[in-house]
Amino acid sequence: MYKTNTAVEDFLSKMRRSLMIFGCLLALCPFVWAQEGEFTSDFRIEDCEFTTIGRNPFFILEPGYTLTLTGEDEDEVIVLKITVLNETEFVNGVLTRVVEERQTVGGVIEEISRNFFAICKKTNNVFYFGEDVDNFDEDGNFVDHASAWRAGVGDAVAGVFMPGEVLLGSKYFQEIAPEEAMDRAENVSITETVETPFGTFHNCLKTLETTPLEPDAEEFKSYAPGIGIIQDGDLLLSDVSTFEPIELPPLVQESEFTENFMLDLCEFSTIGRNPHFILQPGYQRILQGEEDDEVINVTITVLDETEVVNGVETRVVEERETADGVLTEISRNFFAICQRTNSVFYFGEDVDNYEDDGVTVADHDGSWRAGEDGARAGLIMSGTPLLGSRYYQEIFPEEAMDRGEDVSISEAISTPAGDFENCLLIRETTPLEPDELSIKVYAPGIGMVQDDSLFLVGFQEPSSIECWELMR
């Protein structure tokens, strides 16, 4: 069954008049849709099933795990001890794990906080539900509970403390308690080398933390794979309980777009979905638009076929394109979903390009497969879109290097197949053609509804998909 709109031709007629404006916007104002400076503040936690024990590459939530960081301030030794307690507590209806932070200055207690964390099983995101805080004076006497907050109290809601999929440029709120605690983070590097008293760590995540409550304040933190936080401002890791760092091959990150995704840590599935990408056999979408006075039709079908690419079983998704009814291209695209993060990875495509007769295959330009000639899998859709995230979708040097940037998660769009709100807008570029820019829009529970001048005109109704809204 397809949802269609009988006003497709009227829509295309309107589009003919607006495409010139659309093109001018792309050429003259490529950042027209960007929400510059915004940090993600809604994470669909109601769709999560939470656990109080687990880990992601940069955060360990297992009782007994302890990190100690030390440093100096005005000749006084500062010690911060972080311990995952064998305690849980309900916060805003969610069972969370208690993590105690105990900080001393010159041997005198300065602060004790009980922090509440839980891990979303679907995305491996670590959520932060608040903290109880005891502050002390220079003599170790209790003063107050300043900075304490809990999700569900007042307007406070949980934030993401550590994403399951770490991507360069991701900007997200860690604390969301208006007027009380509004810490936010931006991922600025995933290849840091950090020397600490406990040892030297490679391939570290570096974040920049800020808060709108103190616009001039900023702080850098570093996290080592398999360890967790190893640098907090001037404090450095001095002791850790018996966990070994995750062994990763040396990472090279030459651009500002993520090209390393820790795929060795993934178990892949060929059937599934995340909020903006459906990988279920039989699911189909049709997009239509006009280019160079020709009506372009693209039919995207998830086939009941799989294929092993670079040692991973992938799902085949066919894209069939026509121009004025004449076949121009058929591509077989290879996708798989990482079960750890619910992210969809792209392992390549086989492409048949056709002559003007629509019958004779002209060439296979655009084809590539991970594992062949230096090509590697890229990320097509993160399990949790975060504003500012920058990542390679295709990694085939000199041939296919498409990359995406999440610039909005609150777009509204009208198509012949219907109106959609709270959509994800991705800006696509490639270093192979620096002046090229493409815009794609994905609707929750549907998938791609706009590809530049092409718009959704019909889709197979997915019987088990709830088309929920992303409320910001």
Side-chain angles (χ1 to χ4, degrees), residues 45 96 112 148 181 245 289 340 395:
I45 64 174
T96 67
I112 299 175
R340 177 176 61 85
I395 308 176

Side-chain angles (χ1 to χ4, degrees), residues 204-243:
C204 297
L205 165 66
K206 182 178 181 180
T207 66
L208 172 62
E209 291 192 2
T210 57
T211 172
L213 303 181
E214 299 178 49
D216 295 329
E218 62 179 32
E219 187 171 59
F220 288 99
K221 292 184 178 178
S222 297
Y223 301 80
I227 295 292
I229 188 165
I230 58 171
Q231 180 179 8
D232 184 350
D234 295 328
L235 304 182
L236 294 169
L237 185 70
S238 59
D239 193 23
V240 61
S241 55
T242 56
F243 281 78

Side-chain angles (χ1 to χ4, degrees), residues 368-404:
W368 68 280
R369 287 193 176 206
E372 297 181 7
D373 301 319
R376 294 181 287 124
L379 176 71
I380 200 71
M381 183 63 65
S382 173
T384 305
L386 299 175
L387 290 169
S389 295
R390 301 187 299 268
Y391 46 91
Y392 273 96
Q393 300 167 318
E394 303 177 325
I395 308 176
F396 184 22
E398 309 303 327
E399 296 292 337
M401 295 293 288
D402 286 3
R403 55 196 186 184

Side-chain angles (χ1 to χ4, degrees), residues 72-182:
E72 287 190 6
D73 184 22
E74 297 180 355
D75 297 326
E76 290 190 300
V77 176
I78 302 175
V79 178
L80 173 61
K81 188 174 183 179
I82 305 170
T83 305
V84 182
L85 302 182
N86 192 23
E87 298 180 28
T88 59
E89 187 155 340
F90 277 99
V91 180
N92 200 27
V94 174
L95 186 65
T96 67
R97 174 68 52 186
V98 182
V99 177
E100 180 188 80
E101 294 193 7
R102 184 178 291 262
Q103 181 163 305
T104 61
V105 178
V108 179
I109 191 69
E110 181 183 59
E111 178 182 316
I112 299 175
S113 64
R114 288 167 53 86
N115 302 269
F116 310 114
F117 295 100
I119 299 177
C120 178
K121 291 182 179 180
K122 183 183 295 185
T123 61
N124 214 25
N125 293 333
V126 180
F127 281 90
Y128 189 24
F129 285 80
E131 59 179 323
D132 293 345
V133 182
D134 293 337
N135 298 296
F136 301 84
D137 64 20
E138 59 186 13
D139 296 318
N141 300 310
F142 171 76
V143 176
D144 57 35
H145 301 292
S147 298
W149 69 281
R150 287 194 178 205
V153 177
D155 294 326
V157 295
V160 163
F161 192 84
M162 182 62 66
E165 193 76 64
V166 173
L167 301 174
L168 287 169
S170 296
K171 302 163 83 171
Y172 47 95
F173 274 96
Q174 298 172 310
E175 303 177 325
I176 309 176
E179 309 303 327
E180 293 293 335
M182 294 292 289

Side-chain angles (χ1 to χ4, degrees), residues 261-440:
F261 304 101
M262 298 186 182
L263 294 188
D264 291 344
L265 303 180
C266 284
E267 289 186 17
F268 286 101
S269 172
T270 64
I271 295 179
R273 66 177 75 103
N274 75 18
H276 299 95
F277 198 99
I278 297 169
L279 205 59
Q280 292 185 311
Y283 185 56
Q284 188 175 82
R285 280 164 296 124
I286 301 173
L287 285 82
Q288 193 174 100
E290 189 172 286
E291 295 178 2
D292 299 326
D293 296 326
E294 292 182 316
V295 175
I296 307 299
N297 195 92
V298 176
T299 301
I300 305 170
T301 306
V302 182
L303 303 182
D304 192 17
E305 298 180 28
T306 63
E307 188 152 342
V308 175
V309 180
N310 199 27
V312 174
E313 186 178 16
T314 67
R315 174 65 52 187
V316 182
V317 177
E318 181 191 80
E319 293 194 15
R320 185 177 292 259
E321 179 177 312
T322 63
D324 284 342
V326 178
L327 184 63
T328 58
E329 178 184 321
I330 297 177
S331 65
R332 288 165 54 87
N333 302 269
F334 310 115
F335 299 101
I337 299 177
C338 177
Q339 296 183 38
R340 177 176 61 85
T341 62
N342 208 30
S343 296
V344 182
F345 286 92
Y346 188 24
F347 285 79
E349 60 179 320
D350 291 346
V351 181
D352 293 337
N353 299 297
Y354 287 82
E355 300 282 5
D356 291 341
D357 60 11
V359 176
T360 307
V361 175
D363 55 54
H364 303 290
D365 290 350
S367 298
W368 68 280
R369 287 193 176 206
E372 297 181 7
D373 301 319
R376 294 181 287 124
L379 176 71
I380 200 71
M381 183 63 65
S382 173
T384 305
L386 299 175
L387 290 169
S389 295
R390 301 187 299 268
Y391 46 91
Y392 273 96
Q393 300 167 318
E394 303 177 325
I395 308 176
F396 184 22
E398 309 303 327
E399 296 292 337
M401 295 293 288
D402 286 3
R403 55 196 186 184
E405 180 179 359
D406 297 345
V407 296
S408 173
I409 57 174
S410 56
E411 291 298 298
I413 182 172
S414 294
T415 77
D419 298 333
F420 302 95
E421 297 182 349
N422 304 307
C423 297
L424 166 65
L425 188 150
I426 297 176
R427 179 170 53 217
E428 293 188 0
T429 56
T430 172
L432 303 180
E433 299 180 57
D435 296 330
E436 293 294 320
L437 171 67
S438 178
I439 296 296
K440 287 185 170 64

